[in-house]
């Protein structure tokens, strides 16, 4: 199996007060060991796509496969292969990082000793102070909580990592530490990453290929260098304006 | 995942829920104090009517305390996950739903037994009640088999906060309150209006309370209680799988409609 991810004709509409088309006939494949970036404004469908790949959302049409397994019909085969970091570090905030991670480890069949060893190793690489490991999460900053979320995703050794805006809202230092960690993780054997972000520079530096998503549709999918070369622009933000004819912030406002 | 991994999965929920209890220990003291005072106050209502009446009322308070802990803890554990947004991480983990739900049930049973035992000991000491004539083994058996039914009801109720965090929590409390009214917790169901009694007959708590009182007040033997025990066992063995099936259906619906997301 060469492909880590294969999506064909994925569509998802939410029935709220008005119908919201979150994904509109999206198709792509991601080979193993690739860092695949998805950039787009708020509400463009990035998180919906991540949720479908995470087996948390069922598409209306089309299919998604992870290492050859359908995310809806074969979810039990998909789940041991994946993990995820979302923009909001969802934890039991009243208990410590250690208690939250021990809980996560057990869900993946890991004992407490192994969990502690692995998570402290990752957190050390992320510049997290070990003393804070035993404090309730509600006492920790947003950056620290996000580092724990990253440790939670990495220590279960997934083959596919879904990073949904992992650096949004982080202070510059935490952002850099997280990006450096992802950079190092990219060299790990067998790891494929899907990274959604608002940050064009982040996409440019971390991703092998980048898809631009607007209102649920992929409007471009290339290597960052190819996108720059084809458009003759100097950065991805200019490429985005070139493709959509709109400023980044303008699109965010419309969404 | 293998059996060992699934066992680890079940332990995860027990450990996590006890960690949360430890974190909010102040509230535990408040709830426990309230439960003890409530049991004592209800027992005192019957003080002038003799020891049997005290025991009759105290049994109601205790059994209801135990069953409502089971019911409440199971549905609350799902509600809590929804509030914190961790439910998505639990649902995408490689454990099956049975493991997830049974883990929560095991925690609820352990927690319920600890709290109820503590209350029983204090109430017995306070009123100087003698349990000499009581059939205590029968009491334990009834408590266990009735627990199965309430675990099943708790699983069904857990669907409500899964689909709607806030409204689900309201509905769960209303459901619990109706059970309290119809199950003869502090009175015989014959005092209820006739139109409401059909609900009493389908509530497993009605049979639990009758059997518990018979074992405790009259020392009724296991042979005589056997039909009730079998009835509760059958109810539990229907309600638990039913609860898991209903929960799985609700999970599918939530994934189809995007309701697992914390906001939006």
């Amino acid at each position: 199996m060469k492909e880590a991810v294969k999506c064909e004709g994925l569509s998802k509409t939410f029935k709220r007060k008005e119908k919201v088309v979150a994904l509109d006939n999206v198709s792509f494949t991601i080979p193993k060991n690739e860092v695949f970036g998805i950039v787009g404004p708020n509400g463009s469908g990035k998180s919906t796509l991540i949720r479908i790949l995470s087996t948390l959302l069922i598409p209306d049409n089309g299919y998604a496969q992870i290492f050859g397994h359908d995310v809806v019909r074969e979810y039990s085969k998909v789940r041991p292969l994946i993990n995820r970091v979302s923009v909001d570090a969802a934890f039991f905030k009243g208990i410590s990082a250690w208690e939250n991670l021990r809980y996560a480890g057990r869900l993946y069949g890991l004992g407490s000793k192994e969990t502690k060893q692995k998570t402290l190793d990752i957190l050390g690489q992320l510049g997290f102070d070990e003393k804070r490991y035993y404090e309730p999460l509600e006492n920790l900053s947003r950056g620290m909580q996000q580092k724990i979320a990253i440790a939670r995703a990495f220590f279960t050794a997934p083959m596919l990592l879904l990073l949904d805006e992992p650096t949004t809202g982080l202070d510059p230092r935490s952002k850099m530490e997280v990006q450096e960690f992802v950079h190092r993780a990219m060299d790990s054997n067998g790891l494929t990453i899907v990274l959604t972000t608002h940050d064009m520079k982040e996409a440019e530096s971390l991703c092998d290929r980048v898809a631009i998503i607007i209102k649920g549709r992929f409007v471009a999918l290339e290597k960052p260098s190819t996108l720059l070369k084809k458009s003759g622009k100097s950065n991805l933000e200019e490429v985005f304006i070139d493709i959509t004819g709109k400023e980044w912030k303008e699109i965010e406002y419309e969404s | 995942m293998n059996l060992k991994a699934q066992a680890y999965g079940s332990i995860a929920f027990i450990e996590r829920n006890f960690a949360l209890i430890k974190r909010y220990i102040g509230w535990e003291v408040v709830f426990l104090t309230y439960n003890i005072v409530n049991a004592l106050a209800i027992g005192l209502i019957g003080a002038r009517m003799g020891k049997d009446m005290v025991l009759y009322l105290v049994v109601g308070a205790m059994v209801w305390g135990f069953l409502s802990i089971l019911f409440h803890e199971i549905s609350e554990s799902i509600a809590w996950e929804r509030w914190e947004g961790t439910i998505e991480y639990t649902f995408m983990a490689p454990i099956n739903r049975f493991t997830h739900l049974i883990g929560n049930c095991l925690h609820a049973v352990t927690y319920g037994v600890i709290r109820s035992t503590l209350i029983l000991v204090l109430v017995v000491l306070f009123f100087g009640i003698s349990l000499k004539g009581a059939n205590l083994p029968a009491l334990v058996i009834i408590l266990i088999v009735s627990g199965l039914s309430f675990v099943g009801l708790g699983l069904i109720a857990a669907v409500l906060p899964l689909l709607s965090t806030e409204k689900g929590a309201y509905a769960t409390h209303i459901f619990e309150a109706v059970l309290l009214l119809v199950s003869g917790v502090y009175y015989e169901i014959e005092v209820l209006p006739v139109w409401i009694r059909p609900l009493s007959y389908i509530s497993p708590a009605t049979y639990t309370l009758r059997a518990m009182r018979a074992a405790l007040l009259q020392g009724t033997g296991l042979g005589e209680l056997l039909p009730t025990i079998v009835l509760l066992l059958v109810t539990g063995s229907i309600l638990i799988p039913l609860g898991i099936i209903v929960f799985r259906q609700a999970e599918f619906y939530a994934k189809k409609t995007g309701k697992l997301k914390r906001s939006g």
Side-chain angles (χ1 to χ4, degrees):
Chain A
M1 178 60 56
K2 284 181 185 173
E3 291 147 355
V5 180
K6 184 179 181 185
C7 293
E8 199 62 55
L10 271 189
S11 297
K12 186 72 197 173
T13 300
F14 294 110
K15 294 177 184 79
R16 306 284 188 241
K17 282 176 187 169
E18 291 172 19
K19 276 190 177 179
V20 179
V21 179
L23 283 180
D24 186 7
N25 198 25
V26 171
S27 302
F28 63 96
T29 56
I30 305 174
K32 276 183 186 173
N33 304 328
E34 185 175 84
V35 180
F36 184 82
I38 305 172
V39 296
N42 286 332
S44 58
K46 302 187 297 292
S47 295
T48 299
L49 183 53
I50 293 288
R51 281 197 165 81
I52 289 174
L53 296 177
S54 307
T55 76
L56 295 170
L57 196 60
I58 297 171
D60 297 333
N61 288 304
Y63 67 86
Q65 290 178 343
I66 289 174
F67 298 102
H69 303 297
D70 187 276
V71 295
V72 178
R73 283 183 287 109
E74 298 175 283
Y75 62 84
S76 59
K77 287 180 180 165
V78 170
R79 287 175 181 167
L81 307 175
I82 61 169
N83 215 322
R84 166 181 172 231
V85 177
S86 57
V87 63
D88 52 339
F91 285 107
F92 290 94
K93 298 284 193 321
I95 56 178
S96 67
W98 159 233
E99 285 162 324
N100 272 285
L101 291 167
R102 182 179 60 187
Y103 164 64
R106 292 216 188 273
L107 297 184
Y108 285 80
L110 301 173
S112 54
K113 200 175 166 185
E114 198 179 353
T115 296
K116 189 178 270 188
Q117 195 180 8
K118 286 185 173 177
T119 54
L120 281 175
D121 178 45
I122 295 169
L123 287 169
Q125 292 181 55
L126 286 164
F128 182 91
D129 182 0
E130 192 182 328
K131 285 178 205 155
R132 314 293 304 267
Y133 193 63
Y134 303 100
E135 276 185 41
L137 276 172
E138 61 203 1
N139 294 351
L140 306 186
S141 68
R142 159 108 175 82
M144 283 180 181
Q145 290 184 20
Q146 195 64 349
K147 285 175 185 175
I148 295 159
I150 285 165
R152 174 172 64 184
F154 275 84
F155 91 102
T156 60
M159 289 174 73
L160 173 69
L161 202 52
L162 305 160
L163 303 179
D164 191 6
E165 300 184 33
T167 58
T168 300
L170 295 187
D171 61 88
R173 189 178 165 183
S174 298
K175 191 171 181 171
M176 197 182 69
E177 283 168 338
V178 169
Q179 286 171 344
E180 278 174 2
F181 181 77
V182 174
H183 239 300
R184 285 197 297 275
M186 279 153 55
D187 299 330
S188 309
N189 288 336
L191 184 61
T192 307
I193 297 176
V194 178
L195 171 77
T196 76
T197 183
H198 283 266
D199 187 334
M200 294 292 194
K201 279 182 191 158
E202 184 173 273
E204 214 172 313
S205 68
L206 291 176
C207 302
D208 297 312
R209 286 190 303 152
V210 171
I212 296 177
I213 185 169
I214 305 288
K215 293 182 178 172
R217 293 185 77 96
F218 276 8
V219 294
L221 200 176
E222 297 281 3
K223 286 181 180 175
S225 57
T226 313
L227 281 172
L228 296 176
K229 201 174 167 186
K230 276 186 179 174
S231 62
K233 303 292 177 190
S234 59
N235 60 56
L236 279 184
E237 201 156 334
E238 286 179 16
V239 174
F240 180 85
I241 295 164
D242 193 45
I243 291 172
T244 62
K246 288 179 180 179
E247 291 281 343
W248 179 255
K249 282 181 180 164
E250 205 179 328
I251 297 269
E252 282 202 331
Y253 180 74
E254 284 176 8
S255 299
Chain B
M1 276 181 108
N2 58 30
L3 201 65
K4 187 185 161 196
Q6 294 298 329
Y8 263 132
S10 270
I11 293 169
F13 297 97
I14 302 169
E15 213 170 44
R16 180 202 72 189
N17 291 346
F18 276 113
L20 286 166
I21 287 173
K22 199 178 91 189
R23 167 63 182 85
Y24 298 105
I25 195 72
W27 281 112
E28 285 305 313
V29 173
V30 171
F31 294 142
L32 187 64
T33 307
Y34 183 83
N35 284 162
I36 292 166
V37 171
N38 188 47
L40 296 178
I42 288 165
L44 286 168
I45 294 170
R48 286 198 167 178
M49 291 175 260
K51 292 257 174 183
D52 275 4
M53 193 58 191
V54 172
L55 209 50
Y56 179 96
L57 291 169
V58 164
V59 167
M62 283 210 22
V63 172
W64 181 249
F66 177 69
L67 297 180
S68 61
I69 284 173
L70 294 191
F71 176 80
H72 197 70
E73 282 295 311
I74 294 164
S75 56
E76 181 78 4
S77 66
I78 299 297
W80 205 326
E81 289 224 45
R82 286 296 314 264
W83 287 118
E84 298 279 24
T86 56
I87 196 126
E88 288 197 328
Y89 290 89
T90 303
F91 275 12
M92 65 179 281
I95 53 155
N96 63 45
R97 202 53 59 231
F98 181 79
T99 306
H100 173 196
L101 296 173
I102 289 303
N104 277 329
C105 295
L106 287 173
H107 161 261
V109 171
T110 316
Y111 176 65
V113 166
I114 294 170
R115 260 178 73 161
S116 303
T117 308
L118 208 58
I119 295 170
L120 176 67
V121 169
L122 288 168
V123 166
V124 165
L125 289 174
F126 184 88
F127 288 106
I129 296 167
S130 165
L131 298 175
K132 267 182 190 167
N135 185 349
L136 292 175
L139 204 74
V140 174
I141 291 169
I142 295 158
L143 208 62
I144 292 168
V145 291
S146 66
L148 298 176
S149 302
F150 268 69
V151 162
L153 288 175
L155 290 173
I156 295 168
V159 163
L160 301 167
L162 177 69
L163 297 177
S164 172
T165 320
E166 202 169 338
K167 288 175 192 160
Y170 301 154
T172 308
H173 282 99
I174 291 170
F175 184 51
E176 200 179 338
V178 172
L179 278 179
L180 172 66
L181 178 75
V182 303
S183 304
V185 175
Y186 302 118
Y187 39 78
E188 292 301 310
I189 58 167
E190 285 70 27
V191 302
L192 288 167
V194 177
W195 60 269
I196 218 171
R197 279 186 223 164
L199 291 175
S200 307
Y201 300 136
I202 58 168
S203 166
T206 305
Y207 305 99
T208 304
L209 284 155
R210 277 185 179 168
M212 292 279 281
R213 282 172 176 142
L216 208 59
L217 296 166
Q218 290 127 37
T220 307
L222 270 175
E224 216 174 311
L225 293 169
L226 197 61
T228 308
I229 291 170
V230 171
L231 178 75
L232 288 169
L233 209 55
V234 170
T235 313
S237 53
I238 292 169
L239 284 175
I240 289 179
L242 181 69
I244 291 172
I245 291 167
V246 169
F247 194 91
R248 280 188 174 146
Q249 290 298 316
E251 182 183 344
F252 180 82
Y253 174 77
K255 285 180 184 171
K256 193 80 188 153
T257 52
K259 285 188 185 291
L260 288 180
K261 197 179 169 188
R262 179 161 47 175
S263 57

